[in-house]
Amino acid sequence: CNKTNHHPLGEQHKASIILPYKLTTTKDQLTSRAGLLLPAQLMDTLSLSQRIDRYFPQPQSNRGFKPSVFVQTLMLMQHDESFHLDDVRHLKEDNALRAVLGLKHLPSATAIGDWLRRTGKHQTINTACEEVNKLLLKSALHNCKQVTLDIDATEIIASKADAKWTYKSNQGYMPMVGHIAQTGQVVACDFRDGNQSPNSNNLEFIIQCQKALPEGCTVQNLRIDAAGYQTNIIKHCNDNGIYYTIRAVMSSVIKEAIDATIEADWQPMLNKKGEAIKGQDTFRTVHCIGGYEEEPFTLIIQRKRLKGQAELDLDSGLNNEEVINGHYIYRAIATSKDADR
């Protein structure tokens, strides 16, 4: 029996089947930016405009746009994947979108630039941003009372005349940004020149992030790279009951601890599923930073095997966060999670 799957009326009939769709014309306004309705509706539901106008500096004349108009326009532009102020014309020319959202007038690119420069110099702008952001944080966190705070410097490459060279050999800026791990939201930001050290004023920034959280919400865990490996930060965490995980700076004491280990001291590193990661091991010890010996912490030393790596001395480090010895690269993490507190 020869089985086939040919259509009973032949291939020609299959090609001539007309789908039941009807095309017609319309004089109604159409928009390709229907996705912007969601963030616009969210802003309206949260009464975000009222809160912006409450805390942000008001226009200097009755003919000026309210602060909420500028902020709402910028937020819609970002959700529309706009990267330049001139892209505001896409919103201005979308009559259907403006009609649905009730946007009778939108500021020009020049007006937005002037407002950003003027507002950025205002002495209360940081407080205003934090007070407005608290509303968004509270909405996303719901009843969450404790959060994990991630802090890191974020490079912004720019060709402005006042931009400084960063440690990554780019001209731009290096703001410090604090994120909430549970939601990915920015809780605070400290705008910095590109040549400013990532190690500077980090304790002050952590305190700024704590104050920027909604009422009743506190920092339970802190995660930061080696820029946060400082005595004052570790002491602040201990004094405020904050568990910390900080990339340690390689010191002579840590290098001596690595050099003193034997193979039996190392345990396989596990992934999130509890499975051993090939070529990676860990070793735990107790350590203190500087002269702060009141509360020692757990130092987790990690090593990763390098294929074809030549034999090197322990002092030949790649940077202050890692060193190479033999066929392994070593890194260390300071944490209070397993410390005897």
Side-chain angles (χ1 to χ4, degrees), residues 31-33 36 73-74 76-78 80-98 103-113:
T31 178
S32 61
R33 297 179 174 83
L36 297 184
T73 301
L74 288 169
L76 291 176
M77 289 173 61
Q78 289 184 338
D80 195 37
E81 298 185 355
S82 298
F83 298 98
H84 307 281
L85 294 183
D86 286 338
D87 292 337
V88 72
R89 70 181 186 276
H90 298 309
L91 299 181
K92 294 172 70 71
E93 295 171 356
D94 196 330
N95 295 327
L97 178 68
R98 291 175 55 189
L103 302 175
K104 296 182 180 180
H105 303 286
L106 289 176
S108 64
T110 302
I112 295 175

Side-chain angles (χ1 to χ4, degrees), residues 24-289:
T24 185
T25 60
T26 179
K27 294 183 179 180
D28 295 334
Q29 293 182 340
L30 301 176
T31 178
S32 61
R33 297 179 174 83
L36 297 184
L37 298 179
L38 181 59
Q41 180 62 42
L42 179 60
M43 286 187 278
D44 184 63
T45 302
L46 296 176
S47 300
L48 189 62
S49 295
Q50 291 86 329
R51 194 173 184 91
I52 293 171
D53 292 334
R54 175 183 174 185
Y55 289 101
F56 273 67
Q58 295 300 308
Q60 299 177 354
S61 67
N62 295 331
R63 295 179 297 174
F65 287 106
K66 291 183 177 181
S68 58
V69 176
F70 287 105
V71 176
Q72 183 182 28
T73 301
L74 288 169
M75 293 180 71
L76 291 176
M77 289 173 61
Q78 289 184 338
H79 280 86
D80 195 37
E81 298 185 355
S82 298
F83 298 98
H84 307 281
L85 294 183
D86 286 338
D87 292 337
V88 72
R89 70 181 186 276
H90 298 309
L91 299 181
K92 294 172 70 71
E93 295 171 356
D94 196 330
N95 295 327
L97 178 68
R98 291 175 55 189
V100 173
L101 299 182
L103 302 175
K104 296 182 180 180
H105 303 286
L106 289 176
S108 64
T110 302
I112 295 175
D114 291 341
W115 180 80
L116 288 173
R117 286 185 287 269
R118 183 173 64 252
T119 306
K121 297 178 182 178
H122 203 279
Q123 58 183 359
T124 64
I125 186 58
N126 288 335
T127 302
C129 289
E130 290 177 1
E131 290 298 329
V132 171
N133 196 41
K134 282 181 181 179
L135 179 64
L136 300 175
L137 294 174
K138 183 178 181 180
S139 175
L141 290 171
H142 299 291
N143 296 321
C144 183
K145 300 300 181 183
Q146 295 180 317
V147 298
T148 297
L149 177 64
D150 289 330
I151 293 178
D152 196 8
T154 304
E155 184 184 41
I156 300 177
I157 300 176
S159 56
K160 292 182 174 294
D162 61 349
K164 309 298 183 182
W165 290 95
T166 71
Y167 70 91
K168 294 184 177 181
S169 301
N170 295 313
Q171 191 175 8
Y173 305 93
M174 192 66 73
M176 188 65 69
V177 182
H179 293 87
I180 294 179
Q182 285 82 350
T183 61
Q185 292 172 286
V186 173
V187 62
C189 179
D190 182 20
F191 196 79
R192 301 178 179 182
D193 288 328
N195 61 350
Q196 186 170 347
S197 173
N199 299 326
S200 61
N201 302 322
N202 284 338
L203 175 58
E204 292 79 1
F205 181 65
I206 292 172
I207 296 174
Q208 178 185 343
C209 291
Q210 290 178 274
K211 294 180 179 179
L213 288 170
E215 184 178 357
C217 185
T218 59
V219 175
Q220 181 184 36
N221 301 289
L222 171 68
R223 300 188 302 198
I224 187 172
D225 61 15
Y229 190 66
Q230 304 174 21
T231 302
N232 58 356
I233 291 179
I234 291 179
K235 187 177 186 303
H236 175 78
C237 290
N238 290 333
D239 292 343
N240 290 272
I242 300 174
Y243 293 106
Y244 57 85
T245 302
I246 305 173
R247 174 74 70 184
V249 175
M250 283 294 177
S251 65
S252 58
V253 176
I254 296 178
K255 293 176 182 178
E256 290 174 2
I258 295 174
D259 201 29
T261 60
I262 60 177
E263 193 62 30
D265 295 329
W266 295 92
Q267 301 295 324
M269 184 182 296
L270 306 179
N271 59 21
K272 294 181 179 180
K273 297 181 179 180
E275 302 169 343
I277 304 175
K278 185 178 180 180
Q280 298 191 43
D281 308 288
T282 63
F283 166 72
R284 292 172 180 251
T285 185
V286 178
H287 190 67
C288 295
I289 182 173

